[in-house]
């Protein structure tokens, strides 16, 4: 992932966070913001002293809603610049140019940022998204504060220049010197107040560290010289060494097994090409499989990893089961094919001799003998039909016909045509819905319809066979059902028939 993609991902995380706050926690955020402003005792609050608590809360909600909307639309920095332009033009509503100082803005930004940070865990527990949001907010407030300081100095310098032109040279010089001294004093005072920002950054780092310690992933960071800069507890356990022995040490020296390994090469690629890397691999030192995500930055690499050994073992087991099942199916198909062929020959011999007996001795023996020969022929024919079905079944998976989008009604009509004589002999009545067009193997679908219709007629009751086939679409699938008035199937045989 290049720098542009990383920035886009950060911006999108901040926009999603702003939308989440507007939708779910706008009022709570406004209350938290007011409390933090009061806690910091910001001088700017004197301009709102005439407001009631309700009015102040409504004003805060409106302001935060506008601010979050600007973040959603990517206009937060633009709006901040416009507000500074209003300050420069002395057009801020209700606030004069001289009454507003950078310290007021800094403290307002600190309070607002602290309030926003408190709501991040309500939005997500993903450490990468949390880091993206914190970095984006830090960048925004840093840019805005720097711009405010520069404008303040510009305004004060311009004011001193205007004063110089209106007064005598000596008085103007003195006043200008006093003005510069005042600016210096205020900047010195401001630098002390900026210590708040330093503490805030420390607090931000502590929050990030607390989050990284609580996640299920192992995490560690490396600087540009491949030295460890941070490890969470899970990473220490996985690497088998305490944090104190790893911080500041080169990862390839501490873990030489990474040299010339897939993991090590991936780390180098992420560092050199500034791209995000995602990989899975076996780590021999820990005798485990890991899923690893590597995120590059200007300061080095951030590496998240998770033990996926159980998942890999499960995948390997499923793969082995699939191979065993495939082999078993192939063996069963081969057995069915060979067995059905081997049975054909003795069956033909039986059939031939029974037919010879019928031709020679029909009506020459008693009626029972004629009936017995008839039963034998019928049984032979049924056995022949079963063997043919077995042969056909054993060759189903060997059919390599391609799938084409075709109306199933064509296959249905062909199946009825194939069974025309059987249908006529049994006076079967067959009805069906309008079938859809689907991508199918037409020959197999025709055989399927033929088998369904044939079975319904074969296992008929004493009544005229009535068969109804319907098709209903459910979501992205079609459900077909076959209904007849035959003898039915005993429930105890369902698990043997419908496999």
């Amino acid at each position: 992932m290049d720098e542009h993609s990383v920035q886009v991902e950060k911006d999108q995380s901040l926009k999603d966070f702003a939308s989440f706050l507007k939708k779910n926690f706008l009022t709570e955020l406004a209350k938290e913001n007011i409390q933090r402003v009061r806690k910091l005792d910001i001088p700017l609050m004197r301009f709102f002293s005439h407001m009631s608590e309700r009015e102040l809360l409504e004003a805060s909600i409106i302001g935060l809603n506008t601010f979050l909307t600007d973040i959603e639309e990517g206009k937060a920095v633009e709006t901040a610049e416009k507000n500074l332009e209003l300050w420069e033009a002395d057009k801020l509503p209700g606030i004069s140019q001289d009454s507003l100082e950078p310290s007021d803005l800094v403290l307002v930004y600190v309070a607002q940022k602290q309030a926003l940070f408190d709501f991040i865990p309500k939005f997500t527990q993903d450490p990468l998204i949390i880091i993206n949001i914190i970095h984006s907010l830090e960048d925004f407030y840093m840019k805005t504060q720097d711009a405010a300081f520069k404008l303040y100095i510009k305004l004060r310098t311009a004011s001193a220049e205007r004063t110089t032109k209106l007064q005598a040279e000596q008085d103007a010089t003195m006043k200008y010197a006093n003005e510069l001294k005042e600016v210096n004093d205020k900047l010195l005072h401001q630098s002390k107040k900026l210590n708040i920002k330093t503490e805030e950054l420390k607090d931000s780092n502590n929050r990030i560290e607390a989050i990284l310690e609580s996640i299920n992933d192992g995490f560690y960071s490396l600087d540009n010289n491949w030295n460890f800069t941070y490890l969470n507890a899970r990473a220490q356990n996985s690497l088998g060494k305490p944090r104190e022995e790893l911080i500041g040490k080169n990862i390839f020296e501490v873990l030489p097994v990474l040299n010339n390994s897939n993991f090590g090469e991936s780390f180098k690629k992420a560092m050199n090409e500034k791209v995000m890397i995602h990989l899975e691999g076996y780590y021999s030192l820990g005798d485990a499989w890991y899923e690893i995500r590597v995120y590059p930055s200007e300061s080095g690499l951030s590496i998240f990893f998770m033990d996926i050994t159980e998942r890999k073992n499960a995948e390997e087991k499923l793969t082995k089961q699939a191979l065993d099942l495939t082999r078993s199916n192939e063996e069963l198909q081969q057995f069915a094919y060979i067995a059905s062929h081997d049975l054909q020959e003795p069956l033909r011999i039986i059939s031939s001799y029974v037919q010879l007996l019928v031709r020679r001795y029909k009506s020459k023996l008693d009626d029972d003998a004629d009936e017995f020969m008839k039963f034998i022929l019928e049984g032979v024919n049924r056995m022949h039909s079963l063997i043919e079905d077995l042969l056909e079944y054993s060759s189903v998976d060997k059919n390599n016909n391609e799938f084409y989008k075709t109306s199933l009604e064509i296959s249905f009509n062909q199946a009825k045509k194939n069974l025309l004589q059987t249908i006529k002999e049994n006076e079967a009545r067959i009805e069906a819905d309008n079938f859809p067009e689907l991508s199918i193997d037409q020959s197999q679908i025709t055989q399927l319809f033929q088998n369904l219709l044939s079975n319904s007629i074969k296992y008929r009751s004493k009544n005229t066979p009535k068969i109804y086939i319907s098709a209903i679409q459910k979501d992205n699938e079609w459900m077909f059902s076959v209904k007849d008035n035959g003898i039915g199937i005993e429930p105890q045989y369902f698990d043997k028939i419908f496999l």
Side-chain angles (χ1 to χ4, degrees):
M1 185 179 294
D2 56 26
E3 293 183 5
H4 175 70
S5 299
V6 171
Q7 187 60 46
V8 170
E9 183 177 344
K10 287 183 178 180
D11 293 344
Q12 189 58 50
S13 296
L14 185 59
K15 290 178 181 179
D16 293 342
F17 179 50
S19 300
F20 171 80
L21 291 178
K22 282 181 59 180
K23 182 178 181 181
N24 300 285
F25 293 101
L26 186 57
T27 301
E28 290 85 347
L29 179 61
K31 291 179 181 178
E32 180 67 18
N33 189 49
I34 292 172
Q35 290 180 3
R36 289 191 173 276
V37 168
R38 285 175 172 163
K39 185 177 179 181
L40 293 175
D41 194 22
I42 299 176
L44 189 63
M45 287 298 294
R46 65 183 180 274
F47 294 104
F48 306 95
S49 59
H50 63 284
M51 290 185 175
S52 65
E53 283 295 319
R54 181 178 178 180
E55 291 172 337
L56 186 60
L57 179 59
E58 290 176 351
S60 181
I61 290 174
I62 293 173
L64 285 171
N65 185 66
T66 302
F67 173 63
L68 294 174
T69 300
D70 288 339
I71 290 178
E72 286 179 311
E73 298 174 358
K75 301 190 301 185
V77 175
E78 178 182 346
T79 300
E81 292 174 350
K82 289 182 179 179
N83 288 333
L84 291 177
E85 291 173 2
L86 291 175
W87 181 22
E88 182 177 9
D90 201 12
K91 291 183 179 180
L92 283 175
I95 303 176
S96 65
Q97 184 185 88
D98 296 333
S99 63
L100 186 62
E101 296 185 5
S103 59
D104 291 325
L105 294 176
V106 171
L107 293 174
V108 168
Y109 291 149
V110 168
Q112 190 179 77
K113 184 172 62 175
Q114 288 175 338
L116 289 170
F117 279 175
D118 286 343
F119 283 82
I120 293 177
K122 297 179 183 296
F123 171 61
T124 183
Q125 292 295 318
D126 188 310
L128 180 58
I129 296 177
I130 292 173
I131 292 172
N132 286 342
I133 293 173
I134 291 175
H135 284 177
S136 296
L137 289 173
E138 292 286 3
D139 290 343
F140 167 76
Y141 286 116
M142 178 65 75
K143 291 177 182 178
T144 307
Q145 291 173 25
D146 289 345
F149 282 128
K150 291 177 182 178
L151 181 56
Y152 177 80
I153 295 174
K154 177 182 176 182
L155 292 174
R156 285 291 180 262
T157 303
S159 176
E161 290 175 354
R162 289 193 301 270
T163 303
T164 302
K165 294 179 181 179
L166 297 175
Q167 298 180 355
E169 182 176 354
Q170 184 177 3
D171 293 339
T173 303
M174 181 63 69
K175 197 164 187 176
Y176 181 69
N178 291 335
E179 195 73 29
L180 288 178
K181 184 178 182 302
E182 181 183 352
V183 170
N184 288 332
D185 291 342
K186 287 184 177 181
L187 288 175
L188 179 61
H189 180 66
Q190 188 62 45
S191 68
K192 294 178 180 180
K193 288 190 174 183
L194 284 177
N195 287 331
I196 297 174
K197 179 174 178 60
T198 302
E199 293 300 320
E200 186 66 23
L201 287 174
K202 289 181 180 179
D203 182 61
S204 174
N205 290 333
N206 291 336
R207 290 177 187 230
I208 294 175
E209 183 173 338
I211 292 171
L212 292 174
E213 290 295 334
S214 66
I215 61 177
N216 293 326
D217 289 7
F219 172 82
Y220 56 87
S221 56
L222 307 172
D223 62 21
N224 289 314
N225 294 319
W226 301 103
N227 298 322
F228 286 100
T229 58
Y230 174 79
L231 301 92
N232 68 359
R234 190 171 291 274
Q236 294 180 73
N237 294 336
S238 298
L239 297 179
K241 295 186 180 182
R243 183 180 309 178
E244 294 73 17
E245 292 184 12
L246 295 173
I247 297 297
K249 300 293 180 62
N250 187 288
I251 186 174
F252 292 105
E253 296 176 359
V254 175
L255 303 173
V257 69
L258 293 178
N259 289 292
N260 300 321
S261 70
N262 188 30
F263 290 144
E265 294 303 318
S266 298
F267 292 172
K268 293 174 183 178
K269 180 178 180 180
M271 180 81 80
N272 296 332
E273 301 180 15
K274 298 299 180 186
V275 293
M276 181 268 187
I277 299 291
H278 176 263
L279 73 156
E280 296 179 357
Y282 177 74
Y283 182 55
S284 59
L285 192 61
D287 189 24
W289 282 85
Y290 288 97
E291 178 182 7
I292 297 182
R293 290 169 290 162
V294 187
Y295 299 93
S297 65
E298 293 182 359
S299 59
L301 297 179
S302 296
I303 300 170
F304 295 85
F305 63 93
M306 177 184 296
D307 189 332
I308 57 170
T309 304
E310 290 186 6
R311 192 189 82 192
K312 282 293 185 180
N313 290 339
E315 290 175 355
E316 183 178 354
K317 184 177 180 181
L318 287 174
T319 300
K320 184 178 182 301
Q321 289 176 345
L323 291 174
D324 291 343
L325 183 59
T326 300
R327 183 171 60 253
S328 176
N329 286 340
E330 290 175 351
E331 291 174 353
L332 284 173
Q333 288 177 351
Q334 185 67 17
F335 172 77
Y337 184 78
I338 294 173
S340 59
H341 271 282
D342 290 347
L343 289 173
Q344 291 279 22
E345 182 59 27
L347 194 62
R348 280 195 294 269
I349 294 174
I350 294 172
S351 178
S352 297
Y353 278 101
V354 171
Q355 289 175 9
L356 180 62
L357 287 172
V358 169
R359 287 196 299 269
R360 288 187 179 183
Y361 300 107
K362 185 176 182 181
S363 301
K364 293 182 180 180
L365 301 175
D366 57 20
D367 294 339
D368 287 342
D370 290 342
E371 187 175 7
F372 293 161
M373 288 186 288
K374 177 183 176 183
F375 288 159
I376 293 173
L377 278 177
E378 289 177 352
V380 169
N381 289 334
R382 284 197 300 272
M383 187 65 180
H384 179 75
S385 178
L386 289 173
I387 292 174
E388 289 295 329
D389 290 342
L390 183 60
L391 271 172
E392 188 173 346
Y393 174 76
S394 68
S395 63
V396 167
D397 283 350
K398 300 176 183 177
N399 193 326
N400 295 320
N401 293 345
E402 295 184 5
F403 286 69
Y404 296 99
K405 190 169 185 180
T406 310
S407 172
L408 270 73
E409 189 169 356
I410 297 175
S411 296
F412 176 68
N413 290 333
Q414 182 62 46
K416 289 197 298 182
K417 185 177 179 181
N418 295 344
L419 297 172
L420 183 60
Q421 187 62 33
T422 302
I423 294 172
K424 286 183 177 181
E425 290 175 356
N426 291 273
E427 299 181 349
R429 294 171 56 186
I430 302 173
E431 297 180 359
D433 290 341
N434 292 328
F435 293 120
E437 287 189 358
L438 300 174
S439 293
I440 61 171
D441 179 341
Q442 188 170 346
S443 64
Q444 290 197 17
I445 295 298
T446 299
Q447 187 63 49
L448 174 62
F449 279 132
Q450 185 172 328
N451 290 343
L452 290 171
L453 294 175
S454 176
N455 286 339
S456 293
I457 297 173
K458 181 185 298 183
Y459 300 104
R460 56 174 292 183
S461 63
K462 294 180 179 180
N463 300 322
T464 300
K466 294 180 181 180
I467 306 167
Y468 177 68
I469 301 180
S470 61
I472 301 174
Q473 186 173 14
K474 294 186 67 176
D475 299 328
N476 295 325
E477 297 179 337
W478 282 86
M479 179 180 293
F480 291 81
S481 62
V482 180
K483 182 179 180 181
D484 61 40
N485 61 346
I487 61 175
I489 304 169
E490 293 295 334
Q492 62 264 33
Y493 300 121
F494 285 176
D495 60 339
K496 299 182 181 300
I497 295 176
F498 299 108
L499 295 178

